[in-house]
Amino acid sequence: MATIIVDNKSYSVDERQNLLAACLGHGLNVPYFCWHPAMGSVGACRQCAVKQFKDDRDQSGRLVMSCMTPVTNGTRISIDDPEALAFRASVIEWLMVNHPHDCPVCDEGGECHLQDMTVMTRHVYRRSRFPKRTHRNQSLGPFIRHEMNRCIQCYRCVRFYRDYAGGRDLNVFGSHDALYFGREQDGTLENEFSGNLVEVCPTGVFTDKTFFRHYTRKWDLQSAQSICSHCSLGCNTTASERSGILRRITNRFNSQVNGYFLCDRGRFGYEYVNSDKRIKHVRVQLDQDRTKTAAPQEASEVLNIIGARLRAAHGIIGIGSPRASLEANVALRTLVGPQQFFLGINEHEHQLLSKVLSVLWTGPVPSASIHDAEQADAVLVLGADLLNEAPRLALALLQSIRQQPMERVDDLKIPRWDEAAVRNAVQNRRGPLFLAGSQRTWLHDHATDSYVAAPDDIARLGFAVAGSIGQGAPSVSDLRGEIRELTHRVAEALGNAQRPLIIAGTGSGSLATIEAAANVAWALHRRGKAPRLSFVLPECNSAGLGLLGGGRLQGAFDSISQGKADTVIVLENDLYRRAEETQVDAFFDAAHTVIVIDSLENRTTTKADVLLPAATAVESDGTFVSQEGRAQRFYQAFVPEREIKEGWRWLSDMARAASQETDVDRGVTTWRNYDDVVSATARAAPELAHIGKVAPSASFRLMGQKIPRQSDRCSGRTSLIAHLTVHEPAPPVDHDSPLAFTMEGYRGPVPSPLISQFWAPGWNSIQAVNTYQDEVGGPLRDEMPGVRLIEPDATMAPAWFTAIPHPFQPRSDQWLLLARPALFGSDELSNHSPAIVERMAQPFLSLHPSDGARLSLDDHSMIDLTLEGKTYSLAVHLDPFTPLGTTGLFLGPDVFRGQVPAWVNLFKAVTIVPRRRVA
């Protein structure tokens, strides 16, 4: 630590920081534009000038840019020196010369960093009377609006897009004061993280186009912490609502998880909450064969019907869901009993999930957070397509390749925050990143080595790397020359690293790949390294569902077909995505009563005798467990309309209805609020015992007050309903959390999950997050980043996995069908968001050109592919990186997620559609 003197006051700071970060960390207001805690300093804007003095006798000093000046012990500076004040005011003035006076109509108004800095520098009057420079705006796709006239040339956008996120289609053009930040020509921004430009840009150049369609000023939004439900990483978000409409999703800082950034699916996939396909009424089928339209009825009447059917049932089974909250799954399990609770995932996925959890529980290597992945100094990815399955983890790997070259930076004594100097020292050096998968993406351009092959060959590479590292791991002897050389390079890089990371997942469908990843990590651990494992799972609560435990989906089908049960409760799960259509049809036809709880209409909801509307994550309180094993709480941002309720609340009501006039206590009947559900969840399985520590309980208060979800400037609460009444109704009462649906309540430091919006005096933009940190870029004060439910014992020495697969051999008349997940199109919920739909690719089948020639298929031709009795219309993609003898099927919205890999005879399954081609 070092001591600096700022305006004659002493502060203790980290000597690795620059003066700007040190001052901001102590709550001192220094204006800035180009600097960002995640991207370092380039000194482009000149806005952060302060006066530095040699010693206490120096009366003149000199102006320095605080973002480019390192902290040294005894440094003396002044923020309030008249010359520094005047210089900063002049910088704002010249930046504002061409900036339009459009704050009242700008989407960024009220949360604009430029507005904050203008006020902070006391610039209030425009002296320039010359014409303003103007630009033509570009159409950048369905996510981003472009207003180039608002640009202040801070370079943040291109630094994030190109240097941090690896994008290539956004750049800066021109020179001097005629700069243009955009694409070479109009077109959709291609990078998977383009939405972060909305928060990275300090002005209104890049704004959220989805938010624009139902725009509301920031201070009128009602907000709460949420967890992204579109993949297994558990990124933290802030969900914001107004008038019963979810208006937007923004990134929420969590130092251990997503930090400052989100992927585009997580940011723009939220509009399923507002979809026309939302289920908003309780419905009951009028006929036994479920062919007539379900009729809406009063909830109380329907609960009586449910209670009567449950009491008369000859057996009840429950099917859970990896996209439902942990509490809702526990409620269903408690209602039907542990032996009648089934996980709701197909047999193969169940096997893969069980293997992942077994490796993490019984092995000595801990799972990696996203922050751990960023700090890794060597990475091996086996089988996982990170850009499409877990994009935020892919962004972390782009930062990890800088870790090893940073050793040179440290040797040269260059501060790590000095971005320009760091890049000059590092040049094109990259740390070890090895990608092995079944398809190629642009992430491979950043890899040290890449290997595209069938899953069995990828697993063999993993086993070979483990054997090459040694420590007793089984080896692979029959490797081709180039693969043997690759194996040695990977093993050497991992062995020389201090924080190696091994990544695999369930997306490839390969059990051997998971076991190979475990062997590599365990070999490194026995060698004395500190490795981490990261397993990418299919959905937001797959890990939570696996920890809770339950039967296989086939067991549920057998219970109904064998007459062991005649009533089924399906929780937030479209079974047609889990099993073959004929099998699911037979299951529903054999069931006497089908009760479905879900939020969106799907094929399963059409089979329901009783359909109950479920709240989405942003409309409820609950817990998701990420692939890391980190349990995190999400809170209700607003009370949903009509009869929509949380899944666990419906199940509790059903239990009470079923227990009437009987002596049966189904265990759920005593639940009255969310805390009761959390307590029951902690008792449901030993692995969930600490679930109550994830966030403060509903009884938490500060100075006897709840924490408001609304800002203290929230307006229009009476005028919004003036056409109905001039009286302001009482706000809803929240019995389930420490939060209140009002603007009244405690305003001061609170535990991080309870922060509704990041705001501080003088800081209205997202940059206000700096004021919630003791050290800028570090954890939030009172941060509760979630509870890791899986912590391995480092002394464990599990037995090696030895089932090494044989080399992949193409077949003459069959192809190995592989899954091709897509960032836009493979997720069930985000597919109902209009902006995401615009980015979805047409369903396709990828083949190697040689295989395409065998099938007489041209690139971009159209085919009908028949699988499991269902026909898909697909475009053919001839891709030289598709392994010979395999074919990749795009996992679109309607594609059955069956057991893959699987062998298919394309000669029989494919029908060429004449005269139909796609561009």
Side-chain angles (χ1 to χ4, degrees):
M1 300 296 286
T3 299
I4 63 173
I5 299 93
V6 182
D7 290 318
N8 298 317
K9 292 184 179 179
S10 297
Y11 298 91
S12 181
V13 299
D14 188 340
E15 66 267 13
R16 294 172 299 179
Q17 294 181 318
N18 57 44
L19 287 176
L20 175 60
C23 290
L24 293 174
H26 281 279
L28 303 173
N29 287 340
V30 180
Y32 64 90
F33 288 117
C34 64
W35 175 81
H36 188 284
M39 297 187 290
S41 305
V42 292
C45 69
R46 323 307 289 171
Q47 185 60 70
C48 63
V50 297
K51 180 165 281 191
Q52 183 176 14
F53 302 92
K54 293 180 180 179
D55 50 41
D56 55 358
R57 293 170 295 183
D58 184 1
Q59 298 299 310
S60 57
R62 65 188 182 101
L63 290 177
V64 297
M65 300 305 117
S66 59
C67 75
M68 299 299 295
T69 306
V71 164
T72 55
N73 193 44
T75 296
R76 303 181 69 90
I77 63 171
S78 173
I79 299 172
D80 296 331
D81 179 86
E83 188 179 357
L85 290 171
F87 183 87
R88 295 198 297 267
S90 69
V91 172
I92 279 287
E93 184 173 27
W94 80 57
L95 291 177
M96 294 295 290
V97 162
N98 288 299
H99 193 84
H101 274 178
D102 65 347
C103 294
V105 297
C106 176
D107 290 5
E108 200 78 1
E111 54 179 334
C112 175
H113 188 59
L114 177 59
Q115 285 181 331
D116 289 344
M117 299 301 96
T118 302
V119 173
M120 191 177 292
T121 55
R122 306 170 192 174
H123 173 68
V124 296
Y125 183 75
R126 184 190 296 267
R127 293 184 294 173
S128 174
R129 292 293 180 268
F130 297 99
K132 290 181 173 55
R133 175 201 61 215
T134 58
H135 297 285
R136 185 187 73 84
N137 302 322
Q138 290 186 319
S139 174
L140 298 178
F143 297 156
I144 303 293
R145 294 182 74 222
H146 188 229
E147 179 51 77
M148 186 56 206
N149 291 327
R150 298 172 182 152
C151 182
I152 59 169
Q153 304 175 9
C154 69
Y155 284 85
R156 265 190 175 195
C157 56
V158 292
R159 289 178 57 217
F160 168 78
Y161 197 88
R162 299 179 67 84
D163 299 343
Y164 194 95
R168 284 294 173 264
D169 59 318
L170 181 80
N171 212 336
V172 55
F173 304 94
S175 62
H176 193 45
D177 64 344
L179 296 178
Y180 190 92
F181 294 86
R183 286 170 51 91
E184 184 180 5
Q185 59 186 1
D186 288 24
T188 299
L189 290 172
E190 299 171 359
N191 189 265
E192 290 82 352
F193 311 98
S194 64
N196 292 290
L197 294 174
V198 173
E199 295 181 20
V200 166
C201 176
T203 71
V205 177
F206 301 99
T207 54
D208 185 339
K209 185 177 283 190
T210 67
F211 184 38
F212 173 75
R213 289 199 289 265
H214 36 235
Y215 182 73
T216 297
R217 291 297 187 190
K218 174 186 178 180
W219 57 78
D220 287 333
L221 293 171
Q222 180 172 266
S223 305
Q225 168 171 295
S226 193
I227 304 298
C228 181
S229 55
H230 302 305
C231 83
S232 64
L233 294 182
C235 292
N236 287 212
T237 63
T238 297
S240 300
E241 172 268 356
R242 173 79 161 174
S243 301
I245 300 173
L246 183 62
R247 305 285 177 156
R248 69 174 181 184
I249 290 290
T250 51
N251 183 74
R252 185 182 187 87
F253 184 87
N254 184 321
S255 65
Q256 296 303 307
V257 189
N258 49 299
Y260 292 96
F261 305 118
L262 282 179
C263 78
D264 285 354
R265 184 168 67 187
R267 183 180 298 273
F268 301 112
Y270 68 90
E271 288 189 283
Y272 72 93
V273 177
N274 308 324
S275 171
D276 293 337
K277 293 188 176 181
R278 282 297 304 275
I279 302 166
K280 298 181 179 180
H281 295 285
V282 175
R283 299 203 293 253
V284 177
Q285 287 284 0
L286 300 178
D287 62 335
Q288 191 61 38
D289 60 2
R290 308 183 186 108
T291 57
K292 295 183 180 179
T293 303
Q297 295 192 18
E298 293 294 328
S300 57
E301 297 176 4
V302 172
L303 285 172
N304 290 334
I305 295 172
I306 293 174
R309 293 204 178 191
L310 292 181
R311 289 193 296 272
H314 296 296
I316 308 170
I317 62 171
I319 298 179
S321 171
R323 65 172 167 89
S325 70
L326 193 56
E327 292 81 0
N329 280 293
V330 167
L332 178 58
R333 182 176 182 264
T334 306
L335 175 62
V336 302
Q339 301 305 314
Q340 287 74 45
F341 177 73
F342 301 90
L343 295 188
I345 55 180
N346 66 56
E347 177 71 22
H348 192 54
E349 185 180 331
H350 191 291
Q351 185 182 18
L352 295 170
L353 178 60
S354 298
K355 178 62 68 174
V356 166
L357 294 177
S358 173
V359 166
L360 294 178
W361 269 116
T362 62
V365 176
S367 60
S369 67
I370 297 177
H371 177 72
D372 293 331
E374 291 178 345
Q375 300 302 312
D377 52 358
V379 181
L380 170 63
V381 181
L382 292 173
D385 179 4
L386 297 184
L387 277 175
N388 291 299
E389 297 179 66
R392 185 60 186 83
L393 185 56
L395 184 61
L397 296 194
L398 287 177
Q399 317 321 310
S400 74
I401 60 178
R402 300 186 64 185
Q403 295 303 314
Q404 198 173 93
M406 280 295 183
E407 296 175 3
R408 173 179 172 81
V409 171
D410 295 337
D411 291 341
L412 294 172
K413 301 189 183 307
I414 298 173
R416 292 195 174 197
W417 48 258
D418 192 342
E419 185 66 11
V422 166
R423 290 194 174 275
N424 189 47
V426 170
Q427 296 293 320
N428 294 321
R429 298 179 183 87
R430 294 172 179 167
L433 171 61
F434 301 97
L435 301 180
S438 297
Q439 70 171 329
R440 184 180 175 86
T441 65
W442 63 260
L443 187 62
H444 288 71
D445 296 337
H446 299 266
T448 308
D449 271 307
S450 59
Y451 178 52
V452 181
D456 281 353
D457 286 344
I458 294 170
R460 286 172 56 81
L461 174 68
F463 280 113
V465 169
S468 184
I469 293 172
Q471 311 303 313
S475 59
V476 181
S477 57
D478 54 339
L479 292 174
R480 300 195 311 271
E482 67 271 19
I483 306 303
R484 188 181 303 111
E485 293 175 5
L486 174 61
T487 296
H488 292 319
R489 291 197 299 273
V490 175
E492 181 180 11
L494 294 175
N496 291 334
Q498 298 304 311
R499 301 177 303 280
L501 171 64
I502 315 301
I503 300 175
T506 61
S508 67
S510 171
L511 193 67
T513 300
I514 295 171
E515 295 178 342
N519 273 14
V520 175
W522 293 347
L524 289 167
H525 176 77
R526 294 188 184 187
R527 193 166 167 176
K529 302 298 179 180
R532 295 268 178 168
L533 269 168
S534 182
F535 290 112
V536 179
L537 302 180
E539 298 183 58
C540 57
N541 202 29
S542 293
L545 192 66
L547 291 175
L548 179 61
R552 291 166 165 78
L553 186 58
Q554 184 60 48
F557 294 164
D558 293 342
S559 293
I560 295 295
S561 64
Q562 296 170 10
K564 297 177 183 178
D566 63 355
T567 299
V568 57
I569 303 171
V570 182
L571 174 66
E572 300 183 45
N573 202 334
D574 183 4
L575 300 188
Y576 287 93
R577 293 172 61 92
R578 313 289 180 183
E580 297 175 19
E581 181 177 349
T582 55
Q583 191 176 21
V584 179
D585 283 341
F587 169 68
F588 284 133
D589 291 343
H592 179 266
T593 301
V594 177
I595 302 170
V596 177
I597 305 171
D598 215 332
S599 57
L600 287 164
E601 295 174 355
N602 53 54
R603 297 184 66 188
T604 294
T605 63
T606 64
K607 300 293 185 179
D609 294 302
V610 180
L611 180 60
L612 303 176
T616 60
V618 299
E619 299 165 327
S620 56
D621 301 301
T623 305
F624 287 152
V625 182
S626 71
Q627 46 83 34
E628 178 197 353
R630 186 182 299 271
Q632 299 182 100
R633 183 69 41 81
F634 54 87
Y635 286 106
Q636 190 176 32
F638 63 103
V639 178
E641 62 178 301
R642 300 173 185 169
E643 298 162 348
I644 298 173
K645 294 182 186 178
E646 299 98 323
W648 66 264
R649 202 180 297 277
W650 276 121
L651 291 161
S652 179
D653 291 344
M654 289 164 56
R656 278 190 285 273
S659 64
Q660 294 175 5
E661 302 175 5
T662 72
D663 295 327
V664 177
D665 181 359
R666 300 213 177 244
V668 196
T669 58
T670 59
W671 295 354
R672 290 293 179 264
N673 58 36
Y674 180 69
D675 281 355
D676 293 339
V677 191
V678 172
S679 298
T681 302
R683 297 190 299 269
E687 297 84 355
L688 306 178
H690 299 295
I691 206 74
K693 300 177 181 178
V694 171
S697 68
S699 61
F700 180 84
R701 299 290 185 275
L702 287 168
M703 299 181 67
Q705 301 177 81
K706 300 189 93 173
I707 291 86
R709 287 176 169 91
Q710 300 172 358
S711 76
D712 55 5
R713 295 182 290 168
C714 189
S715 63
R717 296 190 300 181
T718 304
S719 62
L720 284 172
I721 57 171
H723 62 295
L724 301 174
T725 176
V726 296
H727 301 288
E728 182 181 339
V733 178
D734 188 354
H735 297 289
D736 298 320
S737 81
L739 302 174
F741 292 105
T742 67
M743 59 191 292
E744 294 83 15
Y746 176 80
R747 295 196 180 276
V750 297
S752 62
L754 304 182
I755 300 171
S756 60
Q757 294 178 337
F758 290 102
W759 179 88
W763 300 86
N764 296 283
S765 74
I766 192 61
Q767 311 298 322
V769 72
N770 296 336
T771 67
Y772 288 73
Q773 300 164 320
D774 284 325
E775 182 176 309
V776 175
L780 302 174
R781 298 187 195 95
D782 298 321
E783 185 172 77
M784 300 178 72
V787 175
R788 285 170 58 97
L789 302 179
I790 305 175
E791 291 292 358
D793 184 350
T795 63
M796 288 180 168
W800 301 104
F801 292 111
T802 58
I804 302 173
H806 296 292
F808 173 74
Q809 295 294 337
R811 300 181 182 179
S812 60
D813 60 345
Q814 289 184 312
W815 281 260
L816 185 65
L817 181 66
L818 303 175
R820 287 287 184 268
L823 180 64
F824 307 120
S826 294
D827 170 60
E828 181 178 4
L829 298 179
S830 65
N831 291 339
H832 294 275
S833 300
I836 297 294
V837 171
E838 287 190 47
R839 291 294 307 274
M840 287 167 54
Q842 183 176 6
F844 66 85
L845 188 78
S846 67
L847 286 163
H848 191 277
S850 298
D851 289 328
R854 288 176 58 199
L855 291 161
S856 302
L857 295 176
D858 298 326
D859 196 21
H860 301 309
S861 60
M862 294 297 299
I863 61 170
D864 287 338
L865 176 68
T866 302
L867 294 173
E868 306 294 348
K870 186 172 181 178
T871 300
Y872 303 97
S873 181
L874 305 169
V876 174
H877 285 185
L878 298 183
D879 177 10
F881 293 104
T882 298
L884 274 169
T886 73
T887 180
L889 176 62
F890 167 73
L891 291 184
D894 300 320
V895 177
F896 160 53
R897 272 76 170 155
Q899 180 169 334
V900 289
W903 288 99
V904 294
N905 187 333
L906 293 183
F907 288 112
K908 295 181 178 179
V910 166
T911 301
I912 300 176
V913 180
R915 296 183 301 279
R916 288 174 57 194
R917 297 175 64 86
V918 293

